[in-house]
Amino acid sequence: MTAALALFMAGGAIAADLKFKPGEDSKFNWQSFEDFKKGHDLKGQTLTIFGPWRGEDEALFKNVYAYFVEATGVELKYSSSENYEQQIVIDTQAGSPPDVAILPQPGLIADLASKGYLTPLGDETKQWLLDNYAAGQSWVDLSTYKGKDGNAALYAFPYKIDVKSLVWYVPENFEDAGYEVPKTMEDLKALTEKIVADGGTPWCIGLGSGGATGWPATDWVEDLMLRTQTPETYDKWVTNEIPFTDAAVVGALDEFGWFAKNDKFVDGGAAAVASTDFRDSPKGLFASPPKCYLHHQASFIPSFFPEGTVVGEDADFFYMPPYASKPELGNPVLGAGTLAMITKDTPASRAFIEFLKTPIAHELWMAQTSFLTPFKSANKDAYANAPMKKQGEILLNSTTFRFDGSDLMPGKIGAGAFWTGMVDFVGGKSAADVAAGVQKAWDAIK
């Protein structure tokens, strides 16, 4: 009998509606749940949480916060909205915010902080992130915003992260051709050239996405910025502290062009890049003979693989590697995620942020689906499957994490001029001309 189980048995009845029975599975850190429970009694209090999760994700989150309710005795009310970005602004401006807001948009969080709608989480939480999250400084940077007084403070707690720096492939195709997963960007480029020399086509790339056509290329450029420039330069780029025409940015565009603008490197040739829908673009991996061997895309792309494809068997992925020639840049990871903030300072909202610092608050969602964490003390074996665990390890091995750059830029740039610029780029425009066009659009909204 484990110590945690003994504590639960001593504690009396166990709530029947908890998805994982406390104390029974050693992959969960039940001791952290028990320790949290001892220090937080919120009986008679109410906690309201407003977040982006609806449908299946809401059910998954409910399976997590049920343990917060069980531990504290609080009455918890979760709500969301199809237009949650607008709703949280309306609620905060009206003076009726939730106790805790969880949002995936750093730009919106910055706006809420600047208007005085968020409560600083304090130096203790800042130090906690530095000590407990891999690439801790990156998470502190992502969570720090200027308040109404103009002073920067930690206002957000990252929880539930997505990884974008992935390259997908079919292991059987690699095995048949004798290819190995590249460990460096130099190896990835050499593999690209070898596939061509062997008579194949290395890449499937598709930027088509209706009115959002072009966005997949922005992920490419952001990944390549992080592999050619420091995170500080990346930060200056996304805020336009350095112009889009800076040599660092133009260089990253050209790095993408090395892959996407060579007719021999892309299925259908460079002309097909802009017109191929991003949802269709990975299908060439599964053709026989393969139409391509490599595909750069975030963790969601298996949704568009042929029906029945098993990730980890029929298809797999590897981390978009860094340049061996730039060891000072470490292992950067591009991604996205959600951040929790206190919008009404109460004992219950403070306690919820403390709950997110427990391993159990992460492991309970890791054991379901759609959840990755850089929390070093969460048990990797809690992940529901091998692909999730592998993506989680990419986060744990990262030295830098940066949020999707186009999402950090003003909408007219990150979801406008940058997208159309990338279409023009693969259509033949030079990196310098595209960069000048995006900067012109940015200047126009200043």
Side-chain angles (χ1 to χ4, degrees):
M1 181 185 297
T2 65
L5 178 57
L7 284 167
F8 274 100
M9 293 184 69
I14 294 170
D17 58 348
L18 300 179
K19 184 174 180 64
F20 305 102
K21 200 171 182 179
E24 281 205 345
D25 190 332
S26 61
K27 70 186 176 189
F28 295 110
N29 187 336
W30 293 117
Q31 189 64 52
S32 70
F33 174 73
E34 191 64 24
D35 290 344
F36 178 81
K37 186 176 181 180
K38 286 178 184 172
H40 297 86
D41 183 355
L42 301 172
K43 291 183 182 68
Q45 299 185 43
T46 300
L47 176 69
T48 54
I49 299 178
F50 181 83
W53 302 309
R54 304 168 70 234
E56 184 182 354
D57 279 345
E58 180 177 345
L60 296 172
F61 180 50
K62 184 177 181 181
N63 288 336
V64 175
Y65 72 65
Y67 292 81
F68 179 75
V69 172
E70 172 70 10
T72 63
V74 76
E75 182 184 0
L76 195 153
K77 297 178 180 177
Y78 173 80
S79 63
S80 186
S81 165
E82 189 173 353
N83 302 308
Y84 62 86
E85 300 99 328
Q86 290 80 26
Q87 191 62 50
I88 189 64
V89 172
I90 293 169
D91 290 346
T92 49
Q93 287 180 344
S96 55
D99 298 317
V100 170
I102 302 175
L103 299 168
Q105 288 102 339
L108 176 56
I109 296 169
D111 188 51
L112 293 172
S114 71
K115 293 175 178 173
Y117 295 141
L118 304 181
T119 299
L121 300 184
D123 290 339
E124 184 185 347
T125 297
K126 176 181 177 180
Q127 192 61 47
W128 189 95
L129 289 172
L130 288 171
D131 294 342
N132 291 282
Y133 270 19
Q137 185 62 53
S138 293
W139 299 103
V140 169
D141 294 344
L142 178 63
S143 304
T144 300
Y145 302 89
K146 286 185 178 178
K148 192 175 182 179
D149 57 4
N151 294 323
L154 191 99
Y155 281 99
F157 188 94
Y159 178 73
K160 191 179 185 301
I161 308 306
D162 301 314
V163 170
K164 288 174 172 263
S165 303
L166 304 177
V167 179
W168 296 85
Y169 70 106
V170 172
E172 185 179 351
N173 293 344
F174 265 44
E175 190 176 337
D176 289 347
Y179 301 146
E180 295 184 356
V181 169
K183 302 297 184 189
T184 68
M185 185 60 74
E186 288 87 346
D187 288 346
L188 181 60
K189 287 188 167 183
L191 174 60
T192 297
E193 292 171 331
K194 178 170 175 48
I195 292 171
V196 173
D198 290 346
T201 302
W203 291 91
C204 279
I205 304 175
L207 308 188
S209 184
T213 292
W215 73 261
T218 66
D219 283 359
W220 267 93
V221 173
E222 291 153 9
D223 251 338
L224 291 165
M225 271 293 285
L226 290 172
R227 283 155 183 75
T228 55
Q229 305 297 327
T230 65
E232 292 75 21
T233 301
Y234 182 94
D235 295 341
K236 290 177 180 175
W237 169 49
V238 301
T239 57
N240 210 214
E241 196 173 332
I242 62 169
F244 227 92
T245 50
D246 189 277
V249 185
V250 174
L253 290 171
D254 275 331
E255 281 295 285
F256 170 58
W258 189 89
F259 292 98
K261 297 179 77 168
N262 185 324
D263 285 337
K264 294 181 179 178
F265 287 1
V266 188
D267 179 40
V273 171
S275 59
T276 302
D277 192 282
F278 81 94
R279 288 155 285 212
D280 294 330
S281 59
K283 291 176 180 171
L285 293 170
F286 304 96
S288 181
K291 291 184 176 179
C292 62
Y293 286 82
L294 299 158
H295 184 70
H296 175 274
Q297 191 50 275
S299 55
F300 71 85
I301 199 63
S303 300
F304 302 103
F305 287 171
E307 189 175 351
T309 300
V310 178
V311 175
E313 296 178 17
D314 307 318
D316 208 344
F317 59 86
F318 58 85
Y319 164 64
M320 179 80 159
Y323 285 86
S325 59
K326 294 182 177 295
E328 70 278 11
L329 298 180
N331 298 319
V333 170
L334 179 73
T338 46
L339 298 98
M341 296 142 284
I342 293 178
T343 35
K344 188 186 293 181
D345 195 4
T346 68
S349 57
R350 291 274 178 184
F352 185 75
I353 297 298
E354 292 305 308
F355 180 65
L356 298 184
K357 297 176 183 175
T358 64
I360 195 68
H362 297 247
E363 293 162 354
L364 290 166
W365 205 333
M366 291 162 72
Q368 300 183 78
T369 189
S370 306
F371 185 92
L372 302 176
T373 181
F375 187 12
K376 292 182 285 188
S377 294
N379 184 5
K380 290 187 292 182
D381 292 334
Y383 279 115
N385 54 56
M388 284 177 64
K389 183 177 180 181
K390 190 172 165 184
Q391 290 179 31
E393 288 173 339
I394 289 174
L395 273 179
L396 290 174
N397 292 331
S398 66
T399 55
T400 299
F401 178 90
R402 281 297 182 271
F403 207 90
D404 184 297
S406 58
D407 286 347
L408 298 173
M409 297 173 185
K412 289 187 177 178
I413 305 303
F418 194 5
W419 288 354
T420 54
M422 296 315 298
V423 173
D424 293 340
F425 181 56
V426 297
K429 264 193 177 183
S430 71
D433 286 347
V434 167
V438 178
Q439 185 57 45
K440 185 178 179 182
W442 210 323
D443 290 338
I445 59 172
K446 288 182 177 175

